[in-house]
Amino acid sequence: MKRNYKILLLALMLAFASCSFTTKTFDDPDKDKLLMQLITYVLGEGHFSPKDINDEFSEHVFKSYLDQIDPFKRYFYASDIKEFEAYRDKIDDQLKNHDLAFFNLTHQRLLQRIEESKAIYQDVLSNPFDFSVEEEINTEYKTLEYVKSKKEMRERWRTQLKFSTIANYDDLISQQENTFANKKKVQGMTIVEGEEELIFMPDTVAKVKDKKPLAELEKEARKSTLNSINELYDYIEERQREDWFAVYLNAIVAEFDPHTFYYAPEDKERFDVAMSGKFEGIGARLQKKMDVITITEIISGGPAWKQNKLEVGDQILKVKQDDDQPSVNVVGMRLDDAVKLIKGPKGTDVILTTKRVDGTIEDLTITRDVVELEEVYAKSSTVKKDGKKFGVINLPGFYVNMDDYNKRNAATDVKLEIERLKKENIEGLVLDLRNNGGGSLQTVIDMAGLFIKDGPIVQVKTTGGQKEVLKDKDKSIAWDGPLVILVNENSASASEILAAAMQDYKRALVIGSQQTFGKGTVQTVLDLNRMVKNNTSGDMGALKYTIQKYYRINGGSTQLEGVKSDIVVPDRYSYIALGEKNQENPLAYDKIDATDYTVWDTAVDYKQAIANSTARIAQNEQLKLIDENARWVKRIRDKEEYSLNYDNYKAALKLNEEEAKHFEKLTDYKTNLTFTSLPYEMKLMAADSVLKEKRDRWHKALSQDVYVEEALNVLNDLRTSYTIKKVANNVKE
């Protein structure tokens, strides 16, 4: 009988909690002090790698916190920072004593400076901007010095507001030029009814409406900027003290690692809704770093997915509802507040002003809907290449029913898809884990066991140093034929465990980015209310913190290093700083002893397959263009200096647009491959047009996917040195 790892881990957690967390009493009547006491205690006792809360820790929190509450450095003066400096190495002492002096001082000063800034930005925007002046702005705000005087503060606001306004100004000019050009084509023409069709005839009387003068457009651009910043300040003023205190607490807990996070009560409620698997909105996940809100995932089947325009890496600059209200600038806004604007009732529209991955600005209108997570489930297809039939399984996540593991989960679904594919007589299998952020540990163990006889899958080290080897003990195998695993920089956690295990067993070839994400840790969420007896302070929220670290069966960690692909294929994110190693305060890479395991089949000629693939990739024009595009995207995203002279600003935009045209043919790429749904799905699609649309789109994407094409080439090479054993007919139950 298979070991139930979920029960084991839960037992370990309960044992840990009972012997540590319940031995101390927490009852401070001050809620803020109580939170500091709870969080520092839990992290000190329960975090996988607790930090020494010392002067160095204090200095890091000091800088991080100030960067978060004043990212543009347009609130605090150098004199404020000098005053705050008294606490630079004292925050550690205050945490231990549950002292709020530093937070109270900075919070009160911030509110004061925000109030003062209203008069500054209103004054700046009451005067015209001269876009003929030769000046620039540097958007790498971290490198800015704090201003020393009110004059310098006004100048900082002026340049930042001018930068916002020049973008609005260009939008208005472009809109007017487009409108003028379109009217010029049709005005001066009059419609005369013919017997069978409308005939356009010249009309010398009609005149094109005069253009607005540039001064009027500049005024409108400033008004747009003013409306946006007024909306931002409305949201700032709605923030309560507890909201700002949560920012401070997260500056503290983030020092432990990037996945440790304090959820204020409202945040915890949203977290619980997210875990339920049902959303009402556009179907995209967002992340905020410093002042920018970025798309981190497009949820399959949701409105954004159906529209097929938003993509991972796009930034949201403004949000507008489908009524006559003005757009709201979300740059610098809290992520939660931006999400509130983006979410909304089914059937309503939201207009997002986005900065695309390639640097272009575009307005996208998306109709909100209920977002079901059906598309997180495994799906499969067959495809013929060179007269041979292969299977493709796409797995977006390692999902599981947390109430009952025996209900639907990723491992049983993949097993079922394999059985269906085998009935179609496939000769090789591609398992696509690109953009798979992970999920259940138990599903990884079970899924890995579908491809090997038995043996260790992953090593887990828990808080306190205990190590355990998690094994597949079922000797049956679902698929013993050629296997290729597709990954990219966004393949994380459980995806990395599976890819690493298959690589260590020499059971599969891993194809994709230079390395995967590099998240080798696991977190738990603790309801802090459980730790307070007779709580009279209200909801305390929850704390997510790291409790375990994963290691490969060869002893290496996936932390930071990720899984290195056997065959590296260029992609558009190749030169962008993604992954765990680019996060703040990640846990270190380390090694432990390897465990005993036996490689799969040394007769398989992986070396030749890798050599063949490397040669093909070097000659592939599409991949060469993708690599060129990746370098261009890196250059665009790294740009920090922008001209505030309109002629120069416009010239730079036009240059970007011209350069972007060179890469338009990337979307024209097509293979000669045709992908087909399995018979059971054909029947479902006959009665479900939405499912048919999803599968048609997926198959079209696969037919244009150079990475899947190369994966199939590799399977074809492996097939010649691979014998599919009959044992694969024994399916794991």
Side-chain angles (χ1 to χ4, degrees), residues 32 44 223 279 364 444 609 622 660 675:
D32 291 344
K223 183 178 180 181
F279 305 85
L364 297 178
V444 181
Q622 176 76 352
F675 293 80

Side-chain angles (χ1 to χ4, degrees), residues 229-272:
I229 200 163
N230 281 339
E231 291 282 350
L232 173 61
Y233 270 62
D234 286 343
Y235 278 96
I236 290 175
E237 290 178 353
E238 288 179 3
R239 300 183 77 169
Q240 304 297 316
R241 175 190 165 88
E242 66 179 16
D243 297 319
W244 294 107
F245 190 60
V247 175
Y248 179 54
L249 290 177
N250 273 310
I252 293 168
V253 304
E255 284 300 309
F256 285 77
D257 77 291
H259 306 291
T260 293
F261 190 85
Y262 167 67
Y263 291 100
E266 191 177 60
D267 299 323
K268 178 59 167 58
E269 182 180 345
R270 278 191 287 272
F271 176 80
D272 292 339

Side-chain angles (χ1 to χ4, degrees), residues 99-162:
D99 186 346
L100 301 173
F102 174 65
F103 171 74
N104 288 335
L105 173 62
T106 54
H107 177 58
Q108 291 165 6
R109 188 64 50 81
L110 177 64
L111 296 183
Q112 176 190 339
R113 297 307 187 205
I114 288 174
E115 187 64 28
E116 292 171 357
S117 69
K118 292 180 184 178
I120 299 176
Y121 80 72
Q122 289 169 359
D123 177 56
V124 169
L125 290 172
S126 67
N127 299 292
F129 288 117
D130 184 352
F131 293 124
S132 67
V133 175
E134 293 284 348
E135 60 178 333
E136 291 186 334
I137 184 173
N138 188 312
T139 57
E140 182 52 46
Y141 301 114
K142 280 188 174 182
T143 62
L144 291 177
E145 298 290 335
Y146 287 96
V147 300
K148 298 178 181 178
S149 66
K150 291 183 178 180
K151 182 178 179 180
E152 288 182 7
M153 181 65 81
R154 189 186 189 283
E155 177 63 12
R156 176 151 298 170
W157 273 98
R158 185 193 69 81
T159 55
Q160 293 183 7
L161 292 173
K162 187 175 183 180

Side-chain angles (χ1 to χ4, degrees), residues 13 89 218 320 377 386 402 449 476 509-510 619 654 683 698:
M13 283 298 297
D89 60 356
E218 185 276 338
K320 186 180 187 303
Y377 300 139
D386 299 336
M402 295 303 294
S476 61
L509 282 181
V510 178
Q619 298 301 316
K654 286 184 175 179
K683 294 178 182 178
W698 182 46

Side-chain angles (χ1 to χ4, degrees), residues 640-660:
E640 298 172 358
E641 296 284 345
Y642 294 88
S643 177
L644 297 179
N645 172 282
Y646 182 68
D647 289 340
N648 295 337
Y649 178 88
K650 187 66 175 178
L653 286 182
K654 286 184 175 179
L655 177 60
N656 286 346
E657 290 170 1
E658 289 300 314
E659 290 175 340

Side-chain angles (χ1 to χ4, degrees), residues 45-90:
E45 295 294 319
H47 194 276
F48 178 84
S49 181
K51 288 277 188 84
D52 288 332
I53 299 181
N54 52 24
D55 288 354
E56 182 182 5
F57 181 94
S58 178
E59 290 180 11
H60 289 166
V61 173
F62 180 86
K63 184 178 186 309
S64 175
Y65 173 59
L66 293 180
D67 283 344
Q68 289 183 55
I69 60 176
D70 188 12
F72 298 113
K73 295 184 179 174
R74 62 188 187 189
Y75 295 134
F76 292 133
Y77 291 83
S79 58
D80 294 324
I81 303 302
K82 184 177 181 180
E83 186 176 351
F84 301 158
E85 287 281 350
Y87 295 93
R88 179 181 284 272
D89 60 356
K90 301 291 191 300

